[in-house]
């Protein structure tokens, strides 16, 4: 039981470190990732949709600059996340969560066994 708790604590520590590094991304790297996540989300919306984009409070200027390249898209406010975007439209009744958090969650869940094996030096 203690060993399982130690492993759980170690995995949580690694995840927290990853979240801190993601939150600390800035400059061109942050812009490139934000743009890629917005591009991926935009495939869900039609040309006539009025699209609202939400993001991390500190990314408002970045997101607004990126949105200059998108007709019918506007920055709509803050979303509590590490970065990335949440994109929605009433016209399409679609909401796409392309935040750094959601990407990390997918990668973490899909690779947890491999992460654990590497951390604890186990055979796969």
């Amino acid at each position: 039981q203690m060993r399982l708790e130690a492993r759980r604590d170690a995995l949580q520590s690694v995840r927290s470190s990853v979240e801190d590094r993601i939150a600390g991304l800035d400059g061109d790297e942050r812009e490139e990732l934000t743009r890629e996540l917005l591009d991926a989300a935009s495939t869900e919306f039609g040309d006539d949709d009025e699209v609202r984009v939400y993001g991390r409070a500190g990314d408002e200027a970045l997101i607004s600059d990126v949105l200059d390249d998108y007709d019918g898209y506007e920055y709509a406010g803050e979303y509590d996340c590490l970065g990335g975007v949440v994109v929605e439209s009433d016209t399409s009744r679609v909401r796409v969560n392309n935040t750094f958090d959601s990407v990390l969650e997918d990668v973490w869940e899909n690779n947890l066994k491999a992460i654990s094996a590497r951390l604890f030096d186990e055979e796969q």
Side-chain angles (χ1 to χ4, degrees), residues 59-121:
D59 289 348
E60 179 177 355
L62 166 66
I63 293 171
S64 293
D65 286 347
V66 170
L67 291 178
D68 288 343
D69 297 338
Y70 292 81
D71 290 333
Y73 285 57
E74 68 176 354
Y75 181 78
E78 296 176 14
Y79 187 83
D80 184 22
C81 63
L82 299 172
V85 293
V86 173
V87 186
E88 67 181 17
S89 169
D90 291 335
T91 311
S92 297
R93 297 185 187 169
V94 172
R95 182 176 195 160
V96 179
N97 181 344
N98 268 3
T99 59
F100 294 173
D101 311 65
S102 65
V103 173
L104 173 59
E105 183 64 28
D106 289 347
V107 170
W108 188 264
E109 290 302 317
N110 291 335
N111 295 286
L112 186 56
K113 186 175 180 180
I115 293 167
S116 183
R118 184 152 186 195
L119 276 176
F120 306 113
D121 200 28

